[in-house]
Amino acid sequence: MDAAPLETHSLSLTLEDRGATLRLAEALAHCAKSGLVVLLDGPVGAGKTTLARHAIQTLLSRAGRIEDVPSPTFTIVQTYDTPDFETWHADLYRLSSTSELVELGLDIAFETAFCLVEWPDRLGAETPEHLRILLSYGVAEDAREATLNATGAARETLDQLKKVLVA
């Protein structure tokens, strides 16, 4: 992984292969905490679900559990009882209105759980403070470019990630 800081609250990473993407997921799991919202953005097939799945599997492994982590494309939300906090994985692609966020309980989860949210553009004005990871295709087949930026308290998480990923 080659990394270069863009500005105080941004980080640009070149993920050379799938293994580098999984290492980013592991670093993210290391920094996970309740109240942290991670927005996973990028085109179809860029690796949003792969990143979320591996982060969740890493968290579950801390409790000695191995679970299948399916994509929440059809269920919209999957929840996991991970050590120290609950983890929510949401795929908002099928959301038709921001009012559905309350129905799903995401508004509460944003405050109390570690949340990984795919298709965050569906949040609109309801977007909370967050760490955003924008994934795009890289030059090689399995390579990806990742741009991380943070707002509010998530800036501390980005600073932690920089220490782990840029070291």
Side-chain angles (χ1 to χ4, degrees):
M1 250 182 300
D2 294 329
L6 293 176
E7 58 184 52
T8 307
H9 303 297
S10 295
L11 176 66
S12 178
L13 300 170
T14 296
L15 308 172
E16 303 92 14
D17 54 25
R18 188 173 190 276
T21 300
L22 299 181
R23 287 190 295 280
L24 172 58
E26 291 165 4
L28 183 60
H30 177 74
C31 297
K33 59 185 176 184
S34 62
L36 176 61
V37 177
V38 179
L39 306 181
L40 301 170
D41 212 347
V44 172
K48 300 179 297 291
T49 302
T50 297
L51 186 70
R53 278 183 175 150
H54 194 68
I56 294 165
Q57 288 168 334
T58 300
L59 289 169
L60 291 169
S61 71
R62 289 184 190 163
R65 296 191 350 246
I66 298 173
E67 285 184 34
D68 183 38
V69 177
S71 171
T73 300
F74 296 105
T75 58
I76 302 178
V77 172
Q78 296 279 46
T79 61
Y80 302 89
D81 186 21
T82 50
D84 303 320
F85 47 81
E86 193 171 43
T87 296
W88 286 48
H89 181 195
D91 183 330
L92 305 183
Y93 184 77
R94 295 180 32 230
L95 217 67
S96 58
S97 166
T98 55
S99 66
E100 292 175 80
L101 297 171
V102 174
E103 292 173 35
L104 293 168
L106 273 169
D107 57 328
I108 304 290
F110 288 158
E111 297 174 12
T112 62
F114 172 56
C115 296
L116 298 154
V117 181
E118 297 183 48
W119 300 101
D121 58 307
R122 306 302 200 270
L123 292 169
E126 304 303 317
T127 303
E129 290 183 355
H130 59 271
L131 170 68
R132 179 181 304 269
I133 302 176
L134 173 61
L135 295 169
S136 58
Y137 294 102
V139 177
E141 184 178 337
D142 288 342
R144 298 293 183 264
E145 297 297 326
T147 303
L148 291 71
N149 57 58
T151 64
R155 291 174 178 160
E156 292 175 24
T157 302
L158 181 57
D159 290 341
Q160 290 174 337
L161 286 169
K162 284 178 183 179
K163 288 177 186 172
V164 172
L165 298 170
V166 181

